[in-house]
């Protein structure tokens, strides 16, 4: 391939590394580069295209972490050979994965503790628009809306979600496949009651989202920790430890809490395992809307040819968690079973908030909010990272992440992350220890910090200074 075709344009709005990353992805998707092809070294590409080495390095790092490239040390970097083997027909699968153009959502927040995880920027929520839509829904509430709500969710909202997922996440589904639930846990409950039985074994990312882990354990599931590395859930290890598992819970777009994306070869491998074993994959796509480098990979569900993926999304990050609204998309052949279970569960509750979210989505406020929040979060992330670098210098390393609303930082210290986090918490700082998100012990600790609540640079600097003082005492 003529490498001059990869040359980014300085006139383009997107940063040079991002343009380079996209050109490589397009070259792979369109078959100009094949699995196993050698790619130029960072040094020679930088020199041929007259780019800084850091620019090329950044693009290569993203391509490697998403599974397009395989770095082989001194033997050089190649296009991942696994792109060819696993997804017959290879190129069709790759192009499918790359094609959809996601649109974005947003969220908002109030007064919260510094570094609070899991909360969106409540200060930026468009309250006026929300109040207008909610007020309208209250006024026009008819008899149908005042009677018992549909346990599978309010139909206009189900339709709005199906349309949104088609455009933004590459998921082709009908509204009948969409079940509105009371938060992510409501979606998990529906899955457990419909497809699983107490005692069933399931793969769980290690480290992984604590609350879902606790919920599933209490529901009687036997969770097998499967380690996460720079390509996401390690499917090989899952197969070695519990090939016969009935389900796997994954956060493929933005692993919680490590922030890596499940690479394309691993996605295909996971789907293949599930089809072969007739296992279920629960895809938790909790914050895919917030991505700062390029577009997120389409959902794993978009590749689900054998109908093994149960897709979940939530309004907690893009709107606000107090809404308690999430959704589950089930495979078409499972609609009847899920509808039957939903009839005996509590469902998502009142129609009023559901109708307001439906209007918010249909009238374009949702997409606008997401776009606005993406740039807001990129700025707020910058406030926190700059403040951390300034306060801790080389004693601290912030793990690069393409999206999300938290950062993971590794501190160069012998002190346990749990001790540091507890000290911070006792001073009102909501920092969390990575080790607490783990199921098995690991020497690798880290500190998890939310940044969505830092409205100004000064707030971030002040909070990081307090954190630095606490950690120094430790
Ligand atoms: C990994 C992960 N999954 C799902 C959710 C959504 O949970 P819920 O819809 O119950 O707010 C969150 C919220 O913080 C999360 O961090």
């Amino acid at each position: 391939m003529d490498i001059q075709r990869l040359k980014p344009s300085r006139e383009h709005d997107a940063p040079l590394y991002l343009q380079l990353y996209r050109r490589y992805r397009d070259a792979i998707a369109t078959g100009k580069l094949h699995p196993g092809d050698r790619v130029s070294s960072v040094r020679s590409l930088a020199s041929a295209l007259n780019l800084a080495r850091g620019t090329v390095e950044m693009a290569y790092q993203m391509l490697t972490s998403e599974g397009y490239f395989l770095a082989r040390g001194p033997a050089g970097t190649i296009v991942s050979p696994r792109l060819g083997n696993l997804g017959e027909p290879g190129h069709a699968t790759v192009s499918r994965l790359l094609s959809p153009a996601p649109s974005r959502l947003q969220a908002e927040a109030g007064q919260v503790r510094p570094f609070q995880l899991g909360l969106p920027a409540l200060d930026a929520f468009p309250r006026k628009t929300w109040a207008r839509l909610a007020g309208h829904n209250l006024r026009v509430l008819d008899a149908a809306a005042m009677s018992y709500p549909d346990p599978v969710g309010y139909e206009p909202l189900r339709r709005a979600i199906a349309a949104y997922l088609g455009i933004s996440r590459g998921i082709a589904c009908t509204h009948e496949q969409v079940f509105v639930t009371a938060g992510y846990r409501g979606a998990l409950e529906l899955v457990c009651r419909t497809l699983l039985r107490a005692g069933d074994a399931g793969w769980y990312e290690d480290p992984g989202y604590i609350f879902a882990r606790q919920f599933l354990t209490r529901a009687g599931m036997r969770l097998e920790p499967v380690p996460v590395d720079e390509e996401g859930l390690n499917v090989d290890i899952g197969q070695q430890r519990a090939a016969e598992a009935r389900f796997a819970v994954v956060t493929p777009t933005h692993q919680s809490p490590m922030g890596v994306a499940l690479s394309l070869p691993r996605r295909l491998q996971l789907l293949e395992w599930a089809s072969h074993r007739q296992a279920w994959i629960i895809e938790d796509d909790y914050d895919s809307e917030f991505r700062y480098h390029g577009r997120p990979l389409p959902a794993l569900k978009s590749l689900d040819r054998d109908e093994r993926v149960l897709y979940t999304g939530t309004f907690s990050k893009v709107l606000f968690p107090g809404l308690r609204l999430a959704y589950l998309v089930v495979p078409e052949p499972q609609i009847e079973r899920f509808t039957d279970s939903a009839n005996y569960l509590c469902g998502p509750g009142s129609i009023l908030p559901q109708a307001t979210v439906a209007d918010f989505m249909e009238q374009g406020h949702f997409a606008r909010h997401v776009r606005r929040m993406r740039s807001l979060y990129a700025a707020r992330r910058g406030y926190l990272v700059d403040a951390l670098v300034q306060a801790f210098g080389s004693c601290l390393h912030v793990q690069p992440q393409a999206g999300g609303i938290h950062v993971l930082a590794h501190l160069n210290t012998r002190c346990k992350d749990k001790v540091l986090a507890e000290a911070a918490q006792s001073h009102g700082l909501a920092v969390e220890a990575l080790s607490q998100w783990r199921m098995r012990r690991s020497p690798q600790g880290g500190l998890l910090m939310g940044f969505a609540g830092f409205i100004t640079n000064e707030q971030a600097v002040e909070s990081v200074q307090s954190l630095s003082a606490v950690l120094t005492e430790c």
Side-chain angles (χ1 to χ4, degrees):
M1 184 189 153
D2 175 8
I3 55 172
Q4 287 305 322
R5 285 175 180 262
L6 297 167
K7 193 172 170 87
S9 156
R10 291 188 191 271
E11 258 97 75
H12 202 287
D13 278 349
L16 297 175
Y17 75 91
L18 205 53
Q19 293 183 50
L20 184 58
Y21 157 82
R22 287 178 185 157
R23 288 196 184 166
Y24 263 120
R25 282 199 346 173
D26 291 347
I28 296 170
T30 53
K32 291 191 185 89
L33 276 174
H34 301 105
D37 280 357
R38 224 188 136 93
V39 295
S40 310
S41 69
V42 169
R43 183 201 295 254
S44 68
L45 191 70
S47 140
L49 301 184
N50 197 17
L51 295 170
R53 272 169 68 175
T55 303
V56 179
E57 253 160 23
M58 211 169 333
Y60 275 34
Q61 211 172 22
M62 285 170 70
L63 289 156
T64 307
S65 72
E66 289 183 1
Y68 294 97
F69 281 4
L70 178 67
R72 300 175 307 166
T77 297
I78 57 174
V79 177
S80 175
R82 286 183 292 163
L83 293 176
N85 300 340
L86 289 163
E88 40 65 85
H91 290 137
T93 306
V94 175
S95 343
R96 193 165 165 211
L97 202 80
L98 294 173
S99 53
S103 69
R104 320 288 156 172
L105 316 168
Q106 60 160 324
E108 92 147 25
Q111 288 303 310
V112 291
R113 283 185 305 155
F115 306 109
Q116 182 90 46
L117 286 177
L119 272 185
L122 300 177
D123 60 292
F125 187 71
R127 279 170 191 268
K128 274 194 189 153
T129 306
W130 184 260
R132 181 167 53 75
L133 299 178
H136 173 77
N137 278 312
L138 264 177
R139 282 193 300 278
V140 299
L141 201 66
D142 59 12
M146 289 172 81
S147 70
Y148 287 98
D150 193 335
V152 299
Y154 182 58
E155 189 178 314
L157 177 58
R158 297 169 79 199
R159 289 185 184 279
I161 293 169
Y164 163 70
L165 293 177
I167 296 166
S168 71
R169 304 299 293 125
I171 297 174
C173 65
T174 62
H175 74 278
E176 282 104 346
Q177 289 172 263
V178 179
F179 289 71
V180 184
T181 60
Y184 177 46
R185 276 166 267 192
L188 289 176
E189 179 170 35
L190 196 48
V191 173
C192 289
R193 300 259 187 161
T194 312
L195 300 175
L196 305 176
R197 265 185 272 157
D200 278 351
W203 297 358
Y204 204 82
E205 293 170 331
D206 189 19
Y209 182 46
I210 303 179
F211 300 111
R213 185 174 96 207
Q214 289 170 341
F215 179 90
L216 290 167
T217 306
R218 281 175 180 242
M221 304 301 143
R222 281 188 298 119
L223 298 184
E224 179 63 50
V226 178
V228 169
D229 59 25
E230 62 287 350
E231 283 191 64
L233 179 97
N234 191 321
V235 181
D236 283 337
I237 297 187
Q239 283 175 311
Q240 283 156 23
R241 287 190 185 160
E244 77 302 339
R246 292 268 300 126
F247 66 96
V249 185
V250 277
T251 47
T253 304
H254 183 238
Q255 203 274 334
S256 171
M258 301 301 283
V260 293
L262 186 65
S263 74
L264 180 51
R266 293 256 178 101
R267 283 169 191 242
L268 299 171
Q269 197 183 0
L270 183 63
L271 289 167
E272 199 171 83
W273 164 76
S275 301
H276 181 62
R277 294 278 176 175
Q278 293 292 288
W280 299 105
I281 299 171
I282 300 171
E283 174 175 17
D284 174 11
D285 205 24
Y286 66 106
D287 74 353
S288 60
E289 294 82 10
F290 305 126
R291 169 105 177 178
Y292 314 115
H293 307 296
R295 289 176 174 146
L297 289 172
L300 182 64
K301 176 77 189 157
S302 69
L303 295 173
D304 180 26
R305 280 173 293 193
D306 296 329
E307 316 249 43
R308 304 313 305 170
V309 178
L310 305 153
Y311 174 91
T312 69
T314 179
F315 290 107
S316 291
K317 306 279 184 191
V318 283
L319 298 178
F320 54 95
L323 258 181
R324 292 293 70 221
L325 285 179
Y327 44 93
L328 169 71
V329 179
V330 308
E332 217 260 341
Q334 304 299 331
I335 294 176
E336 216 175 297
R337 286 175 80 183
F338 272 91
T339 307
D340 186 51
S341 304
N343 282 329
Y344 296 97
L345 295 173
C346 295
S350 166
I351 281 181
L352 277 172
Q354 295 185 67
T356 306
V357 177
D359 289 347
F360 198 77
M361 293 179 92
E362 281 161 9
Q363 295 177 21
H365 304 296
F366 190 74
R368 244 189 320 278
H369 182 54
V370 172
R371 275 198 301 276
R372 207 160 62 81
M373 298 313 285
R374 281 183 83 208
S375 44
L376 185 85
Y377 287 147
R380 291 186 181 183
R381 183 176 197 280
Y383 298 157
L384 175 58
V385 174
D386 291 349
L388 287 170
V389 169
Q390 217 158 43
F392 293 95
S394 60
C395 296
L396 174 141
H397 168 69
V398 176
Q399 179 139 323
Q401 296 206 13
I405 52 175
H406 73 267
V407 300
L408 169 58
H410 301 286
L411 264 176
N412 218 343
T413 162
R414 285 202 193 145
C415 205
K416 288 207 166 92
D417 61 355
K418 204 168 148 224
V419 174
L420 299 176
E422 274 167 10
Q425 283 163 17
S426 69
H427 286 78
L429 306 170
V431 169
E432 290 189 25
L434 176 62
S435 60
Q436 294 202 295
W437 289 57
R438 290 191 188 279
M439 296 168 79
R440 288 195 176 184
R441 277 170 191 271
S442 159
Q444 194 205 18
L447 296 178
L448 295 162
M449 306 172 210
F451 56 75
F454 290 127
I455 299 173
T456 61
N457 194 24
E458 289 68 33
Q459 282 182 356
V461 169
E462 205 177 297
S463 300
V464 168
Q465 278 170 353
S466 309
L467 179 66
S468 168
V470 174
L471 300 190
T472 310
E473 261 178 47
C474 274

